[in-house]
Amino acid sequence: MKILVNNKEVETAAVSISALMEELSLPFQGVAVAVENRLVPRTQWADYVLTEGVSIVVINAACGG
């Protein structure tokens, strides 16, 4: 299926956020994930079902001020 990850079209077989993170070799720690502009808690990543065309934003935590 095709989805958007940080505004880039990605072809994926992943069915959950956890599977997507693994497939794209993205870190599980130090990041936040929003689906359709709604933050998804890490505890829900494995159960969150992805659908065709969904927009996902992965945000890296940064230190500093």
Side-chain angles (χ1 to χ4, degrees):
M1 88 178 109
K2 291 182 182 179
I3 62 173
L4 290 176
V5 178
N6 292 353
N7 293 320
K8 294 180 184 172
E9 191 173 275
V10 174
E11 181 74 36
T12 182
V15 295
S16 69
I17 294 174
S18 291
L20 178 68
M21 298 294 280
E22 189 173 319
E23 183 179 301
L24 298 179
S25 299
L26 295 172
F28 280 77
Q29 298 296 319
V31 296
V33 175
V35 178
E36 300 297 342
N37 295 319
R38 300 193 88 150
L39 186 64
V40 178
R42 185 174 284 108
T43 57
Q44 296 177 11
W45 287 6
D47 298 322
Y48 196 101
V49 178
L50 300 177
T51 57
E52 181 82 26
V54 72
S55 177
I56 297 172
V57 177
V58 179
I59 304 160
N60 289 316
C63 296

